[in-house]
Amino acid sequence: MKNKLFCQSDQKSLADIIFHRRDIRGNNFSNTPLPQTTLDEILLSAQLAPSVGLSQPWEFVIIRDKRTKNIIAKSHQVESELAKTEFSDKKQTLYSQLKLEGIKEAPINIAVFYKPSPEPVLGKHSMPEMGEYSVVCAIQNMWLTARALNVGLGWVSILNPETVKATLNAPKENKLVAYLCLGFVKEFLDTPELETLNWHQREPLNLIEEKYSI
Amino acid sequence: MKNKLFCQSDQKSLADIIFHRRDIRGNNFSNTPLPQTTLDEILLSAQLAPSVGLSQPWEFVIIRDKRTKNIIAKSHQVESELAKTEFSDKKQTLYSQLKLEGIKEAPINIAVFYKPSPEPVLGKHSMPEMGEYSVVCAIQNMWLTARALNVGLGWVSILNPETVKATLNAPKENKLVAYLCLGFVKEFLDTPELETLNWHQREPLNLIEEKYSI
């Protein structure tokens, strides 16, 4: 299969998957269990992601246990109340109406860690963030693969990464990059919820030709 | 198109695109010019990426000018020599044989910046890295879209981000997340070059069920 070439139908499939990917929250997960084969396909796509110097610096923790989910959900609540105070009064009212995560509702949660290599890594010397960035590439592969399998994925960033690490007994050197919620959904919305609810609008791309003008 | 469902053929297309994506370097770019419509499709996929709080915190600088490329290529050379000294003598010999970027060979370079919002961003309070991570999601969308269009993309991280910023007159608050090389290729390899050349091997996925054991 050397030099595999893709055709218009492949290109259309990918463009549609990218267009229809959404962040899924607790108001939209169904309680249908997720088959192991589906989870395996999603994880395989992570394994095939690019990584700096082929270092594959990721670790995935699969969480199904309700007690664990409850502790993480509590951390979300605490951090969400703290974060809310950053916004204007008007935005705070809207913030309170938003459902921003599906930790308890999703059948599967996945904590995704960056695990730094003890050895030097090709390509990381002048940009040390490349390790974490590799993990994010893996997560985006998972997000698209989940969507193609008609499975919802939500990325929860409103929580305390140290609480997640402690709850999972994660090694000290690991860094939490993402906490993901995974499961079938009631529906995939056409438009991001934050846009529909007027939190923020989608914008044209910030594109500069050659150089910023000074 | 609400609740769009994907079928097996879409799933296979995506899985194949993910499997056949490669990092492309200067030994593999052809000098066929890239049509503007192709570049536009790749950039559109970036625009449709997930972003924390729908903040879309990205800026793209399209570089075609040879003088600009020469300055960036110089920065790569300097940083590459510095980075090489991290490795064992045996690895240094192999390192010297690797072609790690395609800055001058690729018809188009794209500098991708994270532009922090002056306003608070939903979802960033307890994990401030989420802004940069959103930009990486956009880059992975571009990488897969390029591959689907049979276009090569290479991510160069061996360079000085401050040199890139200064060369492009980028605003002070912007952070360089990636420097990408884009163009048609001579061939797409079946196996990552770093694996073929025995720099590093692909590994099984680091998967933990529920919790790390202590």
Side-chain angles (χ1 to χ4, degrees), chain A residues 106-122:
Chain A
I108 289 175
N109 293 183
I110 307 178
V112 189
F113 289 99
Y114 164 54
K115 187 178 196 69
S117 167
E119 308 287 323
V121 170
L122 180 70

Side-chain angles (χ1 to χ4, degrees), chain A residues 1 13 20 24 32 45 57 59 80 103-104 106 117 131 135 143 162 172 187 197 200 210:
Chain A
M1 269 237 282
S13 293
H20 289 280
I24 305 297
T32 314
S45 74
E59 282 188 353
S80 189
I103 297 165
K104 292 193 211 174
S117 167
V135 180
W143 214 332
E162 292 307 315
K172 205 169 60 177
E187 61 172 348
L197 299 172
H200 211 299
E210 216 63 57

